[in-house]
Amino acid sequence: MSTRTLISPAVLARPRGKALYWTVFAAVTLLFTLVFLGPLYWLVSSGFKDAQEVIQTPPTLVPGTFEPENYTRAWEVMDLATLLFNTLYYAFGALAFQLVLDVAAAYSLSKLRPVFGKAILGMMLATLMIPATVLVVPQYLTVLDVPIIERNLLNSPWAIWLPAVTNAFNIFLLKRFFDSIPKELLDAASMDGASPLRVLWSIVLPISRPILGVVSIFAVVGVWKDFLWPMLTLPDPSKQTLNVGIYSLSNGVPVNVLIAALTIASIPTLLIFLVFQRNIMSGLTAGGLKG
């Protein structure tokens, strides 16, 4: 059975058809490259310009001035070292809680099959249909005065960690992967006397490294790029994240130094994607087929 394409194999085999195909392919690839990398290039290059050149119209494609000390000034003036440490602390704390609690929830829904498990999963997935901004007010009121324990969690890492744990999308990804693990493998371990917790630790988790890597990346990047929630729950400047701290300290800072600070804040997430892009794709498709 042949695959239908826009250009038939006969036309593509001709020199004119082949030249047209590669011309269109190169043009489309170049266009998408410019669309995605253009803003990134402008961000990095503007960090090397002086303040006057950054705001001039029309903008310069290649910096006419070269001031690499803008990045050093941004690091010192905006105290990026403290903000970077705070963000890493919140991000990896959220990662630890998600790996423990989300894995446990997904494993129970997939393999332990609790009563009303499908209803619980359905209600969890229904929360994905609710815009995140709608939940800001009830979440803030909950963090301001946590029910039962009556604690105020503002300016504490728990205000970041606890909402990050309730991630229905990550639980769904993990459950889909756990569903693809052969039931016979787990039954054999149970017949050898392994408890459900031992099966999870010794069999399920080693097999699940691809999807655990994806969930880890999503957890870290989710906290790293968040702005509204940390701004509401971390008013103390010494405890703010990178994005919120740069925004709070931006008044009176030259625009070229501010752009340099934004460039530095973008580097970690770009590195994570470039290093782990293959793991992201393999993890997302790992649970697609069963067996």
Side-chain angles (χ1 to χ4, degrees), residues 124-260:
M124 290 173 56
L125 295 179
T127 62
L128 297 176
M129 305 296 108
I130 303 175
T133 52
V134 175
L135 302 176
V136 169
V137 173
Q139 282 185 347
Y140 181 81
L141 294 177
T142 302
V143 170
L144 188 64
D145 186 14
V146 181
I148 301 176
I149 63 174
E150 297 182 353
R151 290 286 303 275
N152 186 340
L153 300 182
L154 297 182
N155 281 322
S156 73
W158 295 105
I160 304 297
W161 293 342
L162 293 181
V165 171
T166 57
N167 194 311
F169 180 70
N170 284 348
I171 294 176
F172 176 71
L173 282 181
L174 290 165
K175 180 186 179 300
R176 286 279 305 204
F177 187 91
F178 294 160
D179 289 342
S180 67
I181 298 176
K183 186 174 182 298
E184 294 77 8
L185 182 64
L186 306 184
D187 290 340
S190 299
M191 292 179 62
D192 289 339
S195 64
L197 184 60
R198 180 62 183 273
V199 171
L200 172 64
W201 180 260
S202 301
I203 298 177
V204 175
L205 291 184
I207 298 176
S208 306
R209 288 178 183 175
I211 196 63
L212 292 178
V214 172
V215 170
S216 300
I217 294 170
F218 285 172
V220 172
V221 173
V223 174
W224 196 284
K225 68 182 180 64
D226 197 9
F227 177 79
L228 178 59
W229 183 247
M231 184 178 65
L232 294 174
T233 58
L234 301 172
D236 187 350
S238 64
K239 298 181 179 180
Q240 290 176 342
T241 61
L242 198 57
N243 295 334
V244 178
I246 292 176
Y247 170 77
S248 302
L249 299 173
S250 60
N251 291 332
V253 177
V255 64
N256 55 339
V257 177
L258 177 60
I259 293 176

Side-chain angles (χ1 to χ4, degrees), residues 3-172:
T3 303
R4 298 184 62 182
T5 60
L6 293 175
I7 303 177
S8 66
V11 174
L12 188 59
R14 300 170 188 170
R16 184 177 177 181
K18 186 177 295 185
L20 179 61
Y21 170 80
W22 285 110
T23 301
V24 173
F25 178 79
V28 172
T29 303
L30 180 61
L31 175 62
F32 277 91
T33 301
L34 292 176
V35 169
F36 286 105
L37 296 184
L40 181 61
Y41 170 77
W42 183 89
L43 181 70
V44 176
S45 63
S46 296
F48 291 107
K49 301 175 183 179
D50 60 23
Q52 187 63 33
E53 186 180 3
V54 170
I55 62 175
Q56 78 175 38
T57 303
T60 56
L61 183 61
V62 179
T65 56
F66 187 71
E67 298 183 357
E69 63 271 12
N70 290 340
Y71 288 90
T72 305
R73 289 178 59 193
W75 184 270
E76 296 173 352
V77 170
M78 311 196 82
D79 195 15
L80 294 185
T82 300
L83 297 177
L84 181 62
F85 173 79
N86 291 344
T87 309
L88 289 172
Y89 177 60
Y90 298 138
F92 284 97
L95 168 62
F97 281 105
Q98 283 198 35
L99 287 181
V100 174
L101 300 178
D102 288 2
V103 166
Y107 179 70
S108 63
L109 291 172
S110 175
K111 299 302 180 184
L112 302 184
R113 306 295 178 89
V115 180
F116 304 119
K118 291 184 178 181
I120 294 173
L121 178 63
M123 288 187 290
M124 290 173 56
L125 295 179
T127 62
L128 297 176
M129 305 296 108
I130 303 175
T133 52
V134 175
L135 302 176
V136 169
V137 173
Q139 282 185 347
Y140 181 81
L141 294 177
T142 302
V143 170
L144 188 64
D145 186 14
V146 181
I148 301 176
I149 63 174
E150 297 182 353
R151 290 286 303 275
N152 186 340
L153 300 182
L154 297 182
N155 281 322
S156 73
W158 295 105
I160 304 297
W161 293 342
L162 293 181
V165 171
T166 57
N167 194 311
F169 180 70
N170 284 348
I171 294 176
F172 176 71

